[in-house]
Amino acid sequence: MSESMRALDKGQLRGRHLLSLYDFTVDEIRYLLDQAHQLKAAVKNGIYTSELQGRSLGMIFENPSTRTRISFETGMTQLGGHALFLSGRDMQIGRGEPIKDTASVVTRYVDAVMIRTNSHEEVAEFASFANCPVINALTDAYHPCQALADLMTAEEVHGSLQGKKLAYVGDGNNVSHSLLAAGAKTGMDVSIAAPEGFEPEGFAIQQAKEAATTTGAKIHIGNDPVEAVTNADVVYTDVWASMGYESEQSERLQAFQPFQVNAGLMAEASTEAVFMHCLPAHREEEVSTAVIDGEQSVVYQQAENRLHVQKAVLASVIQ
């Protein structure tokens, strides 16, 4: 174990926000993944800890959720703590209370807050006034907890991530932004193919390329799905019209048709490649039923790992 890893055992992550993977160093992400693997193994053996006994997590949701709500709530329970579901529609912030006032008060009641909303700027503002750690559970810019689960799943399948290739095919959205960060932080090459005009945002590409100089990861953005998937170890996609883009559904369906992940595209990847999707999926749109329900798919393993990586985050940042 390196000196930096030993130092992390002494609580350097306590009180930290997780707004994107760029908030953590390479060693800190490695530490969280190691903790997640250990916590998963413990649960499989029927072992639960009580390290967060008496602690509370406030969960603010402005969008519907299945996996995020259940995994965070279950994770707090398994760690001995308690989670409170807080709908944005039921809070005063939904009636116009300033973010500063809500953040300053709510974070005096709980030991951490996770937020699932649209605006990344609002989550960053909330964190700036918070008295406890704030965890981004999805914004329009990043989905860091999902990316941690993706990394964990890739490690379970392929072992070391260094030099492995992840191909993302589809919309250059928050998931793709966080996959760029994940690869750049772990040395995993990331190749993204999106229709012209739907590529990842420039800031996300630039951040990834700068971070990749430390780990040696290769970052490639293009418009050819076959080029992206060739020899990939992981093939990943997401829905073509995420929440907030429903009005563009018909336009997107037409633009994204050549980007469906199907058996033909998977055949371009490594023979040991696996298929990932953050779910929910629209079968026969971004992915064929044969692929998502096929032997190469690890989407349910990937979804389960949301629980374990989030437990690692909670146990590490809550003081």
Side-chain angles (χ1 to χ4, degrees):
M1 181 181 292
S2 69
E3 289 298 326
S4 61
M5 291 296 286
R6 272 196 290 268
L8 289 176
D9 289 333
K10 299 176 182 179
Q12 268 74 349
L13 296 182
R14 301 295 183 204
R16 297 271 293 280
H17 301 311
L18 173 57
L19 305 188
S20 82
L21 292 185
Y22 297 112
D23 292 328
F24 290 82
T25 67
V26 171
D27 280 344
E28 288 167 347
I29 290 173
R30 176 71 266 153
Y31 175 80
L32 291 174
L33 290 172
D34 289 343
Q35 292 299 301
H37 287 299
Q38 292 175 25
L39 287 164
K40 183 174 183 177
V43 168
K44 298 302 181 185
N45 290 314
I47 300 171
Y48 298 88
T49 68
S50 57
E51 56 194 289
L52 294 185
Q53 184 174 2
R55 308 299 176 85
S56 294
L57 171 70
M59 306 190 305
I60 300 176
F61 286 90
E62 293 188 357
N63 291 316
S65 169
T66 298
R67 283 152 289 275
T68 298
R69 178 178 177 180
I70 295 172
S71 57
F72 266 108
E73 193 162 341
T74 300
M76 278 299 288
T77 299
Q78 291 185 359
L79 292 169
H82 174 67
L84 302 89
F85 174 78
L86 305 169
S87 168
R89 293 182 297 274
D90 299 330
M91 299 173 64
Q92 293 299 329
I93 196 170
R95 299 176 58 195
E97 181 177 49
I99 290 174
K100 174 182 178 180
D101 293 351
T102 297
S104 298
V105 173
V106 169
T107 60
R108 292 171 188 262
Y109 296 145
V110 298
D111 300 285
V113 171
M114 59 122 289
I115 305 178
R116 183 185 178 98
T117 187
N118 294 319
S119 170
H120 190 80
E121 289 73 20
E122 289 183 3
V123 174
E125 182 182 357
F126 189 102
S128 71
F129 294 109
N131 296 292
C132 68
V134 174
I135 300 166
N136 173 11
L138 184 146
T139 65
D140 57 1
Y142 297 108
H143 200 351
C145 294
Q146 179 66 57
L148 287 171
D150 301 336
L151 290 173
M152 180 181 181
T153 307
E155 284 191 332
E156 289 177 331
V157 174
H158 291 303
S160 173
L161 300 178
Q162 184 73 39
K164 294 294 190 301
K165 179 181 178 181
L166 183 150
Y168 176 90
V169 178
D171 189 24
N173 58 13
N174 47 10
V175 171
S176 74
H177 293 174
S178 284
L179 289 173
L180 285 169
K185 286 287 189 175
T186 60
M188 192 177 197
D189 299 338
V190 180
S191 184
I192 291 181
E196 189 173 351
F198 294 94
E199 298 91 347
E201 297 285 347
F203 73 86
I205 298 171
Q206 185 61 33
Q207 281 181 309
K209 288 184 175 180
E210 290 176 1
T213 59
T214 300
T215 62
K218 299 175 183 176
I219 305 297
H220 176 75
I221 311 296
N223 307 110
D224 184 347
V226 173
E227 178 186 23
V229 168
T230 298
N231 297 323
D233 301 288
V234 175
V235 179
Y236 200 123
T237 193
D238 190 10
V239 295
W240 290 340
S242 301
M243 284 184 290
Y245 293 93
E246 291 84 357
S247 63
E248 302 176 6
Q249 181 77 19
S250 59
E251 174 193 353
R252 284 171 173 263
L253 283 175
Q254 182 175 357
F256 281 84
Q257 284 298 330
F259 292 79
Q260 183 189 76
V261 178
N262 49 39
L265 191 60
M266 286 296 296
E268 303 292 338
S270 163
T271 56
E272 302 298 321
V274 294
F275 171 75
M276 289 190 188
H277 192 303
C278 55
L279 301 180
H282 294 166
R283 285 167 168 78
E284 300 307 327
E285 287 188 12
E286 73 272 8
V287 59
S288 68
T289 299
V291 167
I292 195 171
D293 292 337
E295 293 183 357
Q296 290 175 284
S297 176
V298 292
V299 297
Y300 301 128
Q301 177 181 345
Q302 180 189 1
E304 177 192 342
N305 286 339
R306 286 287 302 278
L307 169 66
H308 307 299
V309 296
Q310 288 160 189
K311 285 173 64 178
V313 171
L314 293 167
S316 298
V317 304
I318 292 179
Q319 301 191 45

